[in-house]
Amino acid sequence: MKENVASATVFTLLLFLNTCLLNGQLPPGKPEIFKCRSPNKETFTCWWKPGTDGGLPTNYSLTYHREGETLMHECPDYITGGPNSCHFGKQYTSMWRTYIMMVNATNQMGSSFSDELYVDVTYIVQPDPPLELAVEVKQPEDRKPYLWIKWSPPTLIDLKTGWFTLLYEIRLKPEKAAEWEIHFAGQQTEFKILSLHPGQKYLVQVRCKPDHGYWSAWSPATFIQIPSGDPLMLGASHYKNLKSYSPRKISSQGRLAVFTKATLTTVQ
């Protein structure tokens, strides 16, 4: 009797599986965690790419544990980071601790798991772009005119405690030009440019990076019209006392043009 029941069960299961296969229904494909980012060392988010869904509704869950621990935890927030993401708020974020995480995809036909990803928040910091970019042409009575640029740090970053240090870069170009001129601004939030073509409309952007981490995206472009007249002084200088800088141009073809004292050298 038991053998008949077992045989009937196996037959039913095989029939079910065969029907699903004929209908193109399969277990889900393997997901992949492809990016983790922290904007401020206090929170972070990880995103994954789903695999194939096997033709069935598929559910995803992210589980993790910290190195040295055995207790597994599920993602605390699937909403804040958008679709296919897991967000870790302040109460779940620890610096200098390695998180080991994995995504599980499950549908009616089975499950699949991503590879484990090891994440240390210290090394995934990418701030938001700087804010409040302001650009103005200054024309002192006793000096040549110059372009004055000012901005504010991203709001999510606390620079007052010294916990975070930001460096800045500025890029600008005439509206129809293919090349950007890049200037490194150090930790300053003010800068002046002395090398511009009169009568041109310029695009200006700024970005930032922490002392350990990645450059932010560029801020939205700000436009400024340079008045017609005598050319502005050649060269560039910081608004404050930054002793060294290295202006350069980046072409859309990927060639790097480096200014020396009297020549323009193109690096292939």
Side-chain angles (χ1 to χ4, degrees):
M1 182 67 179
K2 291 182 180 180
E3 292 179 356
N4 291 337
V5 172
S7 297
T9 302
V10 170
F11 176 78
T12 302
L13 179 59
L14 290 174
L15 181 60
F16 172 76
L17 291 173
N18 186 57
T19 302
C20 290
L21 290 173
L22 289 174
N23 292 332
Q25 296 173 339
L26 298 168
K30 182 178 180 179
E32 175 192 2
I33 307 174
F34 70 95
K35 180 181 179 181
C36 292
R37 171 184 175 259
S38 171
N40 53 11
K41 298 184 182 179
E42 297 180 346
T43 65
F44 72 102
T45 304
C46 293
W47 292 267
W48 67 84
K49 296 177 182 177
T52 57
D53 61 11
L56 292 166
T58 300
N59 295 319
Y60 295 89
S61 61
L62 183 145
T63 57
Y64 71 96
H65 67 279
R66 297 180 181 90
E67 195 169 37
E69 299 177 352
T70 57
L71 182 63
M72 297 294 294
H73 308 275
E74 186 173 356
C75 168
D77 179 356
Y78 289 110
I79 304 299
T80 300
N84 304 318
S85 73
C86 177
H87 177 75
F88 295 79
K90 291 184 178 181
Q91 65 271 40
Y92 300 101
T93 301
S94 301
M95 295 290 292
W96 309 111
R97 295 289 300 276
T98 299
Y99 289 71
I100 304 167
M101 57 184 66
M102 181 172 56
V103 172
N104 174 26
T106 303
N107 68 16
Q108 189 178 357
M109 295 295 293
S111 298
S112 64
F113 299 87
S114 70
D115 294 331
E116 288 186 334
L117 182 69
Y118 290 68
V119 175
D120 186 328
V121 178
T122 311
Y123 300 106
I124 60 169
V125 179
Q126 183 184 32
D128 293 329
L131 301 170
E132 301 172 346
L133 177 61
V135 184
E136 182 181 354
V137 175
K138 298 281 191 178
Q139 296 182 308
E141 292 183 1
D142 57 342
R143 289 181 295 166
K144 295 287 186 179
Y146 60 86
L147 186 65
W148 179 75
I149 306 169
K150 185 177 180 179
W151 60 90
S152 299
T155 54
L156 291 178
I157 292 185
D158 181 9
L159 299 175
K160 297 178 181 179
T161 61
W163 172 243
F164 220 101
T165 299
L166 284 180
L167 304 174
Y168 298 94
E169 269 193 348
I170 300 158
R171 73 176 184 180
L172 72 159
K173 69 170 184 175
E175 185 176 23
K176 297 181 180 180
E179 297 180 339
W180 290 93
E181 183 177 306
I182 310 290
H183 295 274
F184 179 66
Q187 296 182 38
Q188 299 177 125
T189 57
E190 297 177 345
F191 196 86
K192 65 181 178 181
I193 305 289
L194 303 175
S195 177
L196 295 166
H197 300 289
Q200 293 274 4
K201 186 176 183 181
Y202 274 81
L203 284 71
V204 182
Q205 293 178 292
V206 63
R207 66 177 181 175
C208 60
K209 74 180 292 293
D211 42 359
H212 298 287
Y214 300 94
W215 284 106
S216 73
W218 290 101
S219 67
T222 294
F223 294 82
I224 182 135
Q225 181 73 40
I226 308 301
S228 299
D230 294 334
L232 278 68
M233 290 176 58
L234 292 177
S237 67
H238 290 194
Y239 192 76
K240 297 182 181 176
N241 295 322
L242 187 64
K243 294 182 179 179
S244 64
Y245 75 97
S246 179
R248 62 196 190 278
K249 287 188 176 181
I250 303 296
S251 74
S252 59
Q253 288 77 27
R255 296 181 178 179
L256 176 63
V258 181
F259 284 103
T260 60
K261 290 183 179 179
T263 63
L264 176 64
T265 304
T266 301
V267 182
Q268 300 295 332

